[in-house]
Amino acid sequence: MRHLTDIELQEVRKEITRKEISSAEILMEIYDHYISHLQEFPEEEFNEQLFELDQKFTYAYCHALQAKFKKAAHADISKTQWQVLRSYFCLGRWMYFVGFLAMAIYLSTYFQTVEEAKLIILLPFILLFGFQLYYGYQSYKHMKPIRQNFKGIGIPIQSSLAGFFENRASLPGMFIYAFISFPALFFNWEPTKVIAPQVAAVFTVLITLYALSLIEVWKIKSKTALV
Amino acid sequence: MYRMHMSTNNLIKGSLQTIILKLLEENERMYGYEITQRVKELTEGEIKITEGALYPALHKLEAEGLLTTEIQQVDNRVRKYYSLTKDGQKEVSAKMSELQSFVGHLQRILDPEWKPGLA
């Protein structure tokens, strides 16, 4: 086994860049495969072996691999989040949850204004925002060596799981946007006016639970993935 | 020689997941290229796992929760190691007996006189 020269490494990166892979997971795996393989051969055989590898890792193959990986990763995260929620809700925790919910509903009866209800519903977003900041930093740290290797290729390299976490973290925001932006729907309409603070309290509890489960999934995945 | 490799590779396709699981049971953790080399070494080059089949199989096993991954910095790059999860460890024996039973049935079809245990 030998170490590849800088020129050889550049050549490898150039060939891989042509495949226009944007998934960091696939990129790092293919790059490692190329290097591990080429290190086994003497310098004279470098070009021939690189050509052979390119015949195996074609553009179409890499993109199919990337698409399948993304699909499987997303399905895996959804499954994990569901498992986290299910395992969370054992009998003892159901009681905690019901107690917490009852307390939130009770406190909501003290709300005097629409602004107070809006404010309470925004509380879990502090948690989600904090999570997004921390997660963004951790993801940046994990991605740094891969981005450095493929600097300036003109394709944004991102973890296949990153987009999923971003979407999931912003999902409750879109829902609550309606609650905050159209208060008339909840606070001025006669049938919902009376229970609006309680609805806000229930949403707060549910979104908190959702945020906690998402953080739990991230904690599990961050041990093994680039997030 | 090329034709023989082609037919061997076609035969191996259905057993690829079992091979990966078995290798990981014996080696604790391995990366993609290492798996291809280990198979080549064990079969003296007769069986070559193609990259085209290996990575989709690894990702599928990972998504099914049979494999877990670990990322490690090696030289100036990042390497992804695969290892068995608890479910994966259980699955190895199930897959192995399934494959052994299949090989036994195949042997009986090819040679009706053959009995298990006979050389």
Side-chain angles (χ1 to χ4, degrees):
Chain A
M1 199 185 84
R2 69 180 179 97
H3 279 286
L4 300 186
T5 64
D6 285 345
I7 297 169
E8 286 172 332
L9 285 171
Q10 269 177 21
E11 200 61 38
V12 173
R13 282 180 210 132
K14 208 170 90 185
E15 287 305 321
I16 296 177
T17 303
R18 278 189 195 157
K19 301 177 199 310
E20 296 178 352
I21 303 164
S22 60
S23 162
E25 287 84 358
I26 301 296
L27 196 61
M28 71 166 181
E29 206 155 32
I30 292 177
Y31 184 58
D32 183 46
H33 191 103
Y34 267 62
I35 307 283
S36 306
H37 179 82
L38 294 166
Q39 280 178 338
E40 303 283 327
F41 295 90
E43 231 171 306
E44 305 80 63
E45 288 182 44
F46 176 81
N47 287 329
E48 187 194 329
Q49 290 302 324
L50 184 61
F51 178 75
E52 270 190 32
L53 281 169
D54 274 333
Q55 299 305 303
K56 291 174 188 169
F57 291 94
T58 60
Y59 184 94
Y61 168 74
C62 291
H63 281 262
L65 192 67
Q66 183 172 260
K68 275 185 197 163
F69 182 79
K70 275 186 186 173
K71 201 177 161 192
H74 288 195
D76 182 35
I77 294 180
S78 297
K79 200 175 83 186
T80 312
Q81 192 172 10
W82 178 236
Q83 277 171 350
V84 165
L85 281 167
R86 270 179 58 189
S87 64
Y88 181 83
F89 280 110
C90 56
L91 184 68
R93 286 203 173 128
W94 261 114
M95 288 164 74
Y96 274 124
F97 177 69
V98 171
F100 187 50
L101 194 64
M103 201 169 71
I105 291 171
Y106 174 72
L107 287 174
S108 69
T109 57
Y110 288 97
F111 293 167
Q112 301 292 319
T113 60
V114 172
E115 277 63 40
E116 278 176 346
K118 281 184 187 176
L119 201 67
I120 193 87
I121 213 164
L122 283 173
L123 281 177
F125 288 93
I126 299 171
L127 187 69
L128 276 172
F129 182 66
F131 163 65
Q132 275 183 311
L133 283 181
Y134 186 70
Y135 149 77
Y137 173 67
Q138 289 298 324
S139 185
Y140 167 77
K141 257 180 28 184
H142 283 129
M143 295 287 297
K144 206 177 167 188
I146 301 165
R147 284 194 178 128
Q148 265 175 349
N149 273 331
F150 291 91
K151 213 154 102 185
I153 62 166
I155 303 157
I157 303 167
Q158 208 189 17
S159 164
S160 294
L161 285 83
F164 186 85
F165 276 105
E166 278 161 21
N167 289 345
R168 285 276 161 127
S170 54
L171 201 65
M174 288 189 271
F175 172 68
I176 293 306
Y177 180 75
F179 197 89
I180 301 292
S181 304
F182 305 105
L185 278 175
F186 300 94
F187 298 101
N188 295 346
W189 192 39
E190 222 34 64
T192 55
K193 199 175 165 181
V194 191
I195 56 156
Q198 284 71 33
V199 171
V202 171
F203 279 155
T204 305
V205 173
L206 290 177
I207 296 166
T208 306
L209 190 70
Y210 175 86
L212 289 174
S213 71
L214 194 64
I215 294 169
E216 198 59 41
V217 174
W218 174 76
K219 269 164 71 186
I220 296 168
K221 292 292 161 197
S222 66
K223 288 175 193 157
T224 59
L226 294 167
V227 284
Chain B
M1 193 67 174
Y2 175 74
R3 280 178 69 97
M4 199 179 93
H5 276 304
M6 279 295 285
S7 60
T8 316
N9 286 338
N10 284 337
L11 289 171
I12 218 74
K13 264 181 192 167
S15 321
L16 185 57
Q17 291 197 357
T18 313
I19 294 171
I20 294 171
L21 292 172
K22 185 67 187 161
L23 284 175
L24 287 170
E25 189 191 41
E26 284 163 7
N27 292 280
E28 202 175 332
R29 66 170 202 172
M30 292 176 102
Y31 56 96
Y33 183 73
E34 193 182 8
I35 294 174
T36 60
Q37 292 310 102
R38 186 80 185 118
V39 171
K40 206 168 133 188
E41 189 188 306
L42 287 170
T43 62
E44 291 168 346
E46 285 302 316
I47 294 175
K48 282 180 186 161
I49 293 186
T50 60
E51 292 77 1
L54 175 72
Y55 289 105
L58 282 170
H59 297 162
K60 191 169 182 283
L61 289 168
E62 187 189 354
E64 283 171 3
L66 300 177
L67 299 185
T68 184
T69 55
E70 193 184 328
I71 286 153
Q72 200 175 308
Q73 183 108 11
V74 176
D75 295 333
N76 214 8
R77 61 187 190 276
V78 184
R79 178 169 284 167
K80 189 176 179 182
Y81 282 98
Y82 293 88
S83 53
L84 291 178
T85 59
K86 277 182 187 165
D87 285 345
Q89 282 165 359
K90 284 179 208 159
E91 191 67 15
V92 182
S93 21
K95 288 250 185 204
M96 279 302 288
S97 32
E98 198 180 286
L99 184 62
Q100 273 158 355
S101 145
F102 174 73
V103 171
H105 293 312
L106 196 64
Q107 188 75 42
R108 266 180 228 122
I109 295 167
L110 299 174
D111 178 11
E113 300 297 311
W114 181 83
K115 282 190 175 61
L118 291 178

